Amino acid sequence: MLHTPGPWTFGDEYGMDDGCVIQALVAKDYGIVGYVCGATDEKAALANAQVQKAAPELLAALVEIIDIETDDDGDRIIPPDFLDNARAAIASATIKR
């Protein structure tokens, strides 16, 4: 995958700009990978930043789920509609080279 690997954390940079809460997202060994500028409500903005911070781990978990769709006997252990949703989310979060 082409994204900066996680985990991502919150950086020290945090503040307001034109009424917009800004929070830096940082990846170890890579530095700042992005800024979240969102809602003017601080709690909502930080909640949005938390979701973005978790993105690499969420994507990795979905990829793992796809990899274990069947058990050792080949029996399906994850419903097909769930797998379709997971594949769609992975496609939405990644780009093809």
Side-chain angles (χ1 to χ4, degrees):
M1 291 189 200
L2 299 175
H3 66 56
T4 304
W8 294 358
T9 59
F10 291 132
D12 294 332
E13 296 186 36
Y14 170 77
M16 298 281 289
D17 184 32
D18 291 331
C20 177
V21 178
I22 298 174
Q23 177 66 57
L25 297 172
V26 178
K28 183 180 180 186
D29 299 327
Y30 292 90
I32 294 173
V33 295
Y35 290 94
V36 178
C37 178
T40 56
D41 173 77
E42 184 175 356
K43 285 185 181 182
L46 292 176
N48 292 342
Q50 186 68 32
V51 171
Q52 291 182 355
K53 181 178 85 66
E57 289 86 359
L58 293 169
L59 181 57
L62 284 175
V63 169
E64 285 182 35
I65 287 169
I66 297 298
D67 289 344
I68 60 162
E69 69 179 274
T70 58
D71 63 18
D72 292 337
D73 296 326
D75 295 324
R76 184 175 300 280
I77 57 174
I78 300 174
D81 58 334
F82 182 83
L83 291 170
D84 290 344
N85 290 341
R87 285 186 185 100
I90 291 167
S92 177
T94 58
I95 60 172
K96 303 262 187 210
R97 277 196 138 177

